[in-house]
Amino acid sequence: LRVEGVSFPRHFLVAVHHRGERAIIDPFANQLLSPADCLAKLAPATPPLAHLEQLLQPCTAADICVRMVSNLLQIHLSQEQFDLALGCHARVALFAPQSPAQHLELARIYRKMGRNEAAIKALTPLLASSDSNFRQFIEGVIKSLRSEDSPKVH
């Protein structure tokens, strides 16, 4: 009997291998899932070209840790516990420190804290992107953050 985590979009599943067969289980609902059940769990935002087998690939222990801490980060943000969210972000960033997604997430946390200069500092490394559309997007976000910090004239 071999059990492995499956990092399915928006839902953690478990694959169980036994006697040459593979079963997918939803550990939170204690439910054995058919391929149709898995497809039904896909969020509308899932890319339409994604094949079910690609979505049911095993994940590493690091993937599971990142996912759990990312979930905690979102909970802390929703409860406006920003210092705890920053701590979670630091732990997730250990696994992908230079990821654009990590820079964007850190900027988002700082913005929610009202720390726009820190958010800009988190975004600044992304200005070196070779993707001009992405770079323009980041420039726009930084401009917006700066305008939020500017005194308003009435």
Side-chain angles (χ1 to χ4, degrees):
L1 186 69
R2 184 171 53 105
V3 178
E4 57 196 6
V6 174
S7 194
F8 195 72
R10 300 193 171 273
H11 203 78
F12 184 78
L13 302 175
V14 175
V16 178
H17 301 266
H18 184 64
R19 296 183 180 162
E21 297 290 324
R22 180 178 189 225
I24 302 295
I25 297 173
D26 178 341
F28 301 101
N30 194 24
Q31 179 183 23
L32 182 64
L33 302 175
S34 68
D37 295 330
C38 292
L39 287 171
K41 285 191 177 291
L42 286 176
T46 303
L49 300 177
H51 297 294
L52 184 59
E53 274 310 307
Q54 291 174 324
L55 300 175
L56 294 174
Q57 293 300 307
C59 58
T60 66
D63 294 334
I64 294 170
C65 289
V66 166
R67 190 165 182 158
M68 288 172 44
V69 177
S70 295
N71 288 344
L72 286 173
L73 187 152
Q74 297 307 318
I75 290 167
H76 293 316
L77 282 177
S78 72
Q79 296 176 354
E80 297 186 359
Q81 298 170 325
F82 300 121
D83 289 336
L84 293 173
L86 280 174
C88 288
H89 179 271
R91 285 166 185 80
V92 171
L94 291 172
F95 294 95
Q98 299 306 316
S99 158
Q102 294 308 319
H103 288 280
L104 289 166
E105 185 70 25
L106 183 58
R108 184 170 77 106
I109 295 168
Y110 281 135
R111 183 173 182 272
K112 285 182 175 275
M113 295 175 79
R115 295 179 55 193
N116 287 5
E117 282 304 314
I120 291 168
K121 185 176 178 183
L123 292 172
T124 300
L126 300 179
L127 292 172
S129 172
S130 60
D131 180 335
S132 62
N133 290 332
F134 182 68
R135 195 171 50 252
Q136 287 176 347
F137 167 76
I138 296 301
E139 289 168 353
V141 172
I142 290 173
K143 182 178 178 182
S144 174
L145 287 166
R146 285 192 174 124
S147 72
E148 288 175 13
D149 273 350
S150 300
K152 307 292 185 239
V153 178
H154 296 284

